[in-house]
Amino acid sequence: MSRRSVSGCLIDYRSSRQTLTATSSTEAEYLALGTAVKQGIHLRECLKSCGFEQRSTVIHEDNQGCIAWAENTSSLACTKAKHVGITERFLNDHIRSKEFVLKYCKTTEQ
């Protein structure tokens, strides 16, 4: 069993292993969420250049700990996952600005 999440989504057909080894499934999902947001930014810019202005982009996530971590900045200061520091600031900026909205989706409903 690997603690590295495989990132991929319906629009981006490739998948790849994370370069960092996560200490928990929540941390692995959080790092994958950072990748999804980066891809989402690129897709939003492509659509904008074609004249399609976007509102909030919804990202469905099946890990409630990951959602709580991404939405609650006060809990980030006490985390031991210091190597995701840049990712947490990056995600928090885009979630706080409502550019991206996280919605819980049960694993069985994916």
Side-chain angles (χ1 to χ4, degrees):
M1 180 173 154
S2 173
R3 288 195 181 254
R4 294 181 184 198
S5 177
V6 176
S7 303
C9 63
L10 295 175
I11 296 171
D12 186 3
Y13 56 87
R14 67 182 170 83
S15 65
S16 60
R17 286 196 176 259
Q18 292 174 344
T19 56
L20 295 173
T21 301
T23 58
S24 69
S25 61
T26 298
E27 188 178 336
E29 290 280 344
Y30 190 80
L31 293 168
L33 179 61
T35 300
V37 168
K38 288 175 191 174
Q39 292 173 349
I41 291 169
H42 173 71
L43 292 171
R44 288 173 61 92
E45 288 298 318
C46 289
L47 289 168
K48 185 177 178 181
S49 69
C50 293
F52 298 102
E53 197 66 37
Q54 300 295 300
R55 293 187 208 146
S56 295
T57 300
V58 177
I59 296 179
H60 295 274
E61 174 60 58
D62 68 344
N63 187 303
Q64 292 178 340
C66 177
I67 294 171
W69 190 2
E71 291 179 342
N72 186 2
T73 58
S74 63
S75 68
L76 296 174
C78 62
T79 184
K80 294 181 181 179
K82 297 193 184 320
H83 57 280
V84 295
I86 293 172
T87 301
E88 71 188 21
R89 287 184 196 90
F90 171 80
L91 282 176
N92 284 332
D93 288 347
H94 291 287
I95 291 170
R96 254 188 271 123
S97 70
K98 304 290 185 203
E99 187 177 345
F100 291 89
V101 176
L102 302 178
K103 298 283 183 185
Y104 176 68
C105 174
K106 293 180 182 178
T107 304
T108 57
E109 296 175 0
Q110 291 184 2

